[in-house]
Structure formats: C-alpha cells, structure tokens
Amino acid sequence: MSAMLLASHPAPVRAAIARHRRALDADPVEYLEEHGPRLTEASREAAANYLEVHPSRVALTESTTMGVGLVYTSLQLRADQEVLTTDEDYYVTHVSLEQTAERTGAAIRRIALFDRPDAVSADRIVERITSSIRPETRLLALTWVHSSTGVKIPVREIASALSDINAGRDEADQVLFGLDAVHGFGVETESFADTGADFLMAGCHKWLFGPRGTGVAAISERGLAATRPTIPSFDESEVFSAWYMRREPRGGNNGRRMTPGGFKAFEHRWALPEAFDFHDMLGRSRVASRTHELAGALKEALAGIDRIDVRTPRDSALSSGIVAFDVEGMSSAEMVSRLRDRGVVASVAPYPSALVRLTPSIINSSAEIDRAAHAVRDSM
C-alpha cells in the first residue's frame, strides 16, 4: 500500500522501457537521432491528452520535485509582491519558494489551512485562503492532496474564488495558482482546466504507475508569460537556433522551452505513452471510484480499532487515496516497522505531525484492506 511513494511498472510500461533500452544499447546514437524527437513529442502529447491541454503547454520533467522547482524558481516576481502558501505544504514547495524569494526579493507568507484535518470543510478552506490574499499577492502555491494527512483541497472552488479576485486586477498583479498535484494526478478525474491552476506539477511514477523518473508540468498561457526557463532546453529548436545564430529567440515561452535539456533515461521518458494508454484503458472514472472505495473502506476499518485516530477526512470530496492515522501510545515509526514485519508497506509522513500512512490503490484488493487493518490491530 505504497503507491504514493514509488509504484511498480505495469506490463505495457515495462515492455516499452525494455524495447527502447534494447534499441539504445544496440545503437545509441542512431536510435536517439532517428527516433528521439518523435518519441519525446509522443510522450508530451500523451501527457497533454491526459490533461486535456495543448502540448505546447506541457513541460516534461523527471519528478514532482523537479517540476515544482522548475516552475517556482522561474517566476518573474517583483520585490513588492508576495507568495502565499500554507503551513501544510511540503518541503519542496517551501524551499523552492524560498529560493525564488532570495532571487527576486519577493516575500513569502504562510497560513494554516485548517486546525484539524479530519474536521476540515471545503468552505472553510476557501474562506481561509481568500481572506488571506492581499493586493501584493502574486502567487498562491498549494498542494492538491496533502501527503501529510491525505486532505484533498477543493481546487475548483479555490480557482473560482481567485477568478473573482483577479477580475479587478491588472494582469501583472493577478494571482497565479500553482498546484503540486502529484497525489491527485492518476487518481482524480479533473483535467488541467478543471483544476483552474496556472501551474500543475506531478510525477508519473506514483498513482499513474508510469515510468520511474518521469513527470510533467502543465502551464497556462498566463503562467507561461510570467515565467522564464531556468535550464536550457533540448526540445525547442528555436532556442538552439537563436544561440547558434547569435540572435534573440523568436516567439514566447512554451512547454518545450521549459523542459530541461540534457541526456536522460530516455527509455523511461519514451514509455510514458504506454502509461497513459494503460490508465485510459482502465478508465479514469473507474480508477477514481475504486481508489476512493478502497481508501474509504480502510478508513472505516481503522476507525473501529481502539487507540487509532484517523486524521484523513472520511468525505471523498476532501480526500483521495492517502489514509493517515495516529496511534495512541506508539510512535508512527514503530507502527510502520511492525506493519512491515507483517508484510504491509506503510510509511511515516515526513512532517512534524509524523502520521502513519497507508495508500491503497487499484492494485489492491478488498481482502488486502482487511489484511492491513488486521495487521494494524495486531501491531498494537
């Protein structure tokens, strides 16, 4: 029950990786030169189709961490502007924003999004955010599904509230919406437009069961205008041609320019289409329904065990596949260790709360939910 960490490759993904690896090993230069650009674009288009966005707005990355760092450190902020984020966001968001603030002089402000995760409401989350936005707020940086508690924020409602706020602002002062989406990506059914985000960053090697070391960043037109690439791209020929001919690149920013260049584990990147095809074959709504069903069953089973405090909201509108809980009288690390001794892979949230996390996914059965709950009870 560890899809939130690192997933196994499904057979179609594994076969695609092996096929590209054999070809690269047999003749790396010829295979890369003859097929590389086409295969890379096929991966970008597969991600774009999944997110329902134009491929020009998709940057390929190697992880959520790379995507978050790539986007936030590329923002063109003024020293009189600020970024608003939350106490509950992850280390990667906080550090990326700190690096941006150091470069630009912009301020960072954090707010608490809720008091107790299991008592949260959508209206309260939206109210806390909107009441905290100031005239100088340029970026709202949030996480779709919190890896600490499993809380899923109401992204559509937040985006709608931001739209109302931005209606009265000049374009250069409008609030941009950044979203670490990794624990919603591959589970929830929303498209990029549905989230209302300007920046959506996610890894593909978790809930999507994609190739390890792959990720995506989808960026709105407004977001592209507010960012500048930080790592030279190999995917945008215009940038290379401009350097070669000693002139300024033509055209505006796009996903290809935002994609970091360099030589990579190409066989993994080029297997992305198979991952998206596999997910589509299963059916996105079916994946979402099954993941929520299993997570809901696990929450109910855990809630019936003495000394277990389930912190993840029971409501599927406010949660996804992560189930986080506390154990009275026992450290989370000890519980995780005992569960692993019983063949159940749990993890400790790397936050001050340090909750135990179990993350059922579509590879799990209802019997395994029962087994996990019994393992928790037997570990007390």
Side-chain angles (χ1 to χ4, degrees), residues 40-60 185 190-193 200 204 208 215-219 255-256 272-273 276 280 284:
T40 296
E41 284 310 298
S43 294
R44 190 188 317 279
E45 289 171 6
N49 289 337
Y50 183 82
L51 290 163
E52 299 179 19
V53 66
H54 193 274
S56 65
R57 297 185 186 181
V58 174
L60 298 177
F185 187 74
E190 283 86 346
S191 67
F192 178 55
L200 182 152
C204 298
L208 188 76
V216 296
I219 309 173
R256 292 179 180 86
L272 273 172
F276 287 111
D280 287 339
R284 293 173 65 168

Side-chain angles (χ1 to χ4, degrees), residues 38-108:
R38 173 182 59 81
L39 292 171
T40 296
E41 284 310 298
S43 294
R44 190 188 317 279
E45 289 171 6
N49 289 337
Y50 183 82
L51 290 163
E52 299 179 19
V53 66
H54 193 274
S56 65
R57 297 185 186 181
V58 174
L60 298 177
T61 68
E62 293 166 30
S63 64
T64 311
T65 298
M66 176 184 279
V68 170
L70 182 78
V71 166
Y72 289 158
T73 60
S74 71
L75 276 169
Q76 303 299 292
L77 300 177
R78 303 192 308 264
D80 64 338
Q81 294 178 320
E82 70 164 18
V83 175
L84 179 65
T85 188
T86 76
D87 294 336
E88 294 82 11
D89 274 272
Y90 187 45
Y91 153 85
V92 171
T93 291
H94 288 163
V95 172
S96 296
L97 294 176
E98 288 167 5
Q99 293 169 347
T100 301
E102 183 177 355
R103 176 179 59 83
T104 64
I108 302 174

Side-chain angles (χ1 to χ4, degrees), residues 253-296:
N253 192 20
N254 59 51
R256 292 179 180 86
R257 293 187 187 187
M258 291 290 286
T259 298
F263 286 73
K264 310 176 185 304
F266 292 113
E267 61 268 42
H268 282 233
R269 172 167 289 186
W270 296 338
L272 273 172
E274 281 75 11
F276 287 111
D277 286 346
F278 181 69
H279 210 74
D280 287 339
M281 179 270 292
L282 294 174
R284 293 173 65 168
S285 61
R286 293 176 66 213
V287 169
S289 176
R290 179 61 171 166
T291 305
H292 281 278
E293 176 188 353
L294 293 173

Side-chain angles (χ1 to χ4, degrees), residues 138-185:
R138 176 58 166 156
L139 172 71
L140 174 64
L142 301 176
T143 296
W144 193 357
V145 180
H146 293 179
S147 59
S148 52
T149 61
V151 168
K152 181 177 69 177
I153 64 172
V155 289
R156 297 190 196 199
E157 292 87 341
I158 293 167
S160 177
L162 288 181
S163 180
D164 292 340
I165 292 171
N166 284 333
R169 295 191 178 200
D170 293 336
E171 185 174 348
D173 296 315
Q174 290 180 348
V175 183
L176 299 164
F177 184 11
L179 191 64
D180 175 342
V182 66
H183 296 302
F185 187 74

